[in-house]
Amino acid sequence: MNWWPHVVSLEFRKILVFRTEFWVTFLGQSLVQLVIARSLWTAIFEQQNVSEINGFTLPMLTLYYVIVPIGSRILTGENLGFLSREIYEGTFTRYLLYPLSWFQYKTLTYFTYSLFYAFQLMIFFVGYKFYLNGGMSLFEFGNLFLGIGLFLISSLTYLLISMAVELLSLWADNIWSLMVMLRFFSNFLGGALIPLAFFPKEAQVILSYTPFPNLISLPARTMMGLTSGQEIFQGLLVIGFWAVILALIVNLLWQRGQKKYTGVGI
Amino acid sequence: MIKVTGLRKTFTSHKKEPGLMGSVKALVKREAVLKEALKSVNLEIQQGEIVGLIGANGAGKTTLVKILAGIVHPTSGDATVLGFRPWERDNNYRKQMCLIMGQKNQVWWDLPALDSFLLLKEIYQIDDARYKYNLAFLAETLMVQDQLKTQVRKLSLGERMKIELMAALLHDPKVIFLDEPTIGLDISAQKAVRNFMKTYQREKRPITILTSHYMEDIKELCPRIVIIKEGSFVYDGSLSDVQKMLGDEKVLSVTTEEKTFKVHVPRAELSVKTQEILSSNNVIDLNIQDPSIEDIIESIMRFGVGHS
């Protein structure tokens, strides 16, 4: 697989090629999201005149919102429509012509973006910790790397969820709304919009059997030092189980769907 | 070699009535339309041959190329290229073929061509010496040495086409599918691409299938042509034989005060027909010529071989 590092390198070069886009993605987006979340939660804490809501203090919630917007970008890797748009436009043809597996190629390109966002999360997390506490303990560094690792593992599971939806474009030309719905639900059920601790207890139990909480909430709380080893192990088991199911679904969809591919536009 | 036997391909599309009501109705009920893009075609091409595939838009040329390149599955029938079934996408087949599309980019748009070439080198497992030799040969023959470090999107259309050719040929493919390689190019760029393909074909002897709407491409590159009409082959033979098919005909190009038109006339009736036209029209200009290849092919595409 000599081409693997070249694909990763090529995708990194694509990320770096547009300076403005790079800095807006790297700094702008996350700072804006952080400021909005911080302002909103400050107002809620002041209005309710409490120091803690559902186990979260304001600094903890702020840290949570440093992590989750970038964390959800680690999950979603390459852009929305990374497969369906190419199938729709016919550029997917490229991967059918080259002597390689399109699945491996798209996984690598997707994962390259996840790595880029993982690096971004590290910078923001360390920066925030230094701003807040003036430094970080070894234990906190350990949590940081464990959380980043969990995000990266989760991104591969989310990739399979995305593929299962995006491959539907081999049957229905335009599935944009499905992908937007998927992103919204995975963010909502994964705890990217509000922490899962704010959900009703029954909902939290049901959700724990789905991949979603383990995709965002589990890695984010691990970075904050709020999870136990057992909780992490259970989370990995759940996403591992779903990854196997999803891989089977993706394989089935591809086996059937490729016969429908017409390479439109060429 | 390429061997195609009874190859068929049908596509399903959906009809929609025009207008807003048509769009609303289509949300609930759509009429499926089955289109037979290829109707049981047979073809054999030997190593080193270059074959021109000619036909009107929608005749089935690109469908055939897509099947032989392994992008599309056929509905029925069989095809082998170098002993492989293309749609099974065996890596050993894909390493020996390429598809060049005049209207689609395969190299990475936002990066310099050399970046894409380096990735292709690894994908096709081209050894260093062969990569260096091919890169130098292709860049020199296509005269794009100075464009290799520029972002592809910033190149002109002609330069981009040359880069596409380079990317597709770096691995010395034994089978080349060229789909409209000169579309949209200016005359000098068209000529450069044609000259390059001639040199390449002479030196490397691949099997080449070329589809093009430009007769110049066909005339200069393809000793053999296949004319395809509504999914069926209506002619498969040498280009020179096509010219003989209308050997006993002349073409009268007539310009009257109202219009300009062409008439195919058997030699024996030339004098009678000319007088007839001159007496019944306000003729400004009249020209008597042998039919051009374009005329003959157009005639075959419209009426078939028997009527031409």
Side-chain angles (χ1 to χ4, degrees), chain A residues 102-118:
Chain A
W102 72 268
F103 180 80
Q104 286 176 15
Y105 192 99
K106 294 307 288 183
T107 302
L108 275 174
T109 58
Y110 188 94
F111 199 60
T112 306
Y113 283 83
S114 298
L115 282 174
F116 167 69
Y117 293 125

Side-chain angles (χ1 to χ4, degrees), chain A residues 133-200:
Chain A
N133 307 327
M136 273 174 74
S137 67
L138 270 179
F139 178 70
E140 284 176 315
F141 269 113
N143 285 336
L144 165 66
F145 288 115
L146 189 57
I148 294 274
L150 284 174
F151 266 125
L152 290 173
I153 292 170
S154 300
S155 77
L156 294 175
T157 307
Y158 190 79
L159 166 71
L160 290 168
I161 299 175
S162 301
M163 277 185 173
V165 174
E166 300 223 4
L167 280 175
L168 294 177
S169 60
L170 290 164
W171 284 268
D173 291 336
N174 194 342
I175 54 151
W176 188 256
S177 50
L178 264 182
M179 291 179 307
V180 173
M181 271 169 62
L182 171 69
R183 188 161 285 193
F184 173 76
F185 278 116
S186 55
N187 275 337
F188 180 63
L189 302 176
L193 302 181
I194 48 168
L196 293 180
F198 289 70
F199 282 40

Side-chain angles (χ1 to χ4, degrees), chain A residues 13 89 96 105 258 262, chain B residues 66 89 94 104 108 115:
Chain A
R13 277 174 275 168
E89 290 170 356
L96 305 181
Y105 192 99
Q258 62 172 316
T262 56
Chain B
K66 282 179 188 172
R89 300 197 192 105
R94 293 193 285 180
K104 284 278 170 191
W108 283 260
D115 277 345

Side-chain angles (χ1 to χ4, degrees), chain B residues 199-210:
Chain B
T199 311
Y200 191 86
Q201 190 71 23
R202 194 173 53 239
E203 295 204 2
K204 310 263 182 175
R205 307 282 302 150
I207 296 176
T208 304
I209 293 186
L210 165 74

Side-chain angles (χ1 to χ4, degrees), chain A residues 228-245:
Chain A
S228 65
Q230 192 194 353
E231 200 180 341
I232 292 171
F233 180 69
Q234 277 175 352
L236 284 172
L237 272 183
V238 172
I239 58 172
F241 167 78
W242 280 104
V244 172
I245 301 287

Side-chain angles (χ1 to χ4, degrees), chain B residues 23 75-76 80 89 142 159 172 176 183 199 240 244 262 273 308:
Chain B
S23 300
T75 306
S76 64
T80 53
R89 300 197 192 105
L142 285 163
E159 288 168 339
D172 290 325
I176 300 173
I183 196 163
T199 311
S240 52
K244 290 176 199 159
K262 283 182 178 180
K273 197 74 185 172
S308 51

Side-chain angles (χ1 to χ4, degrees), chain B residues 1 21 29 31 87 107 118 130 147 165 168 177 231 254:
Chain B
M1 69 178 272
M21 276 315 288
K29 194 180 176 189
E31 188 190 339
W87 52 92
V107 293
L118 279 173
R130 187 156 70 106
Q147 280 77 44
L165 280 168
F177 300 105
V254 185

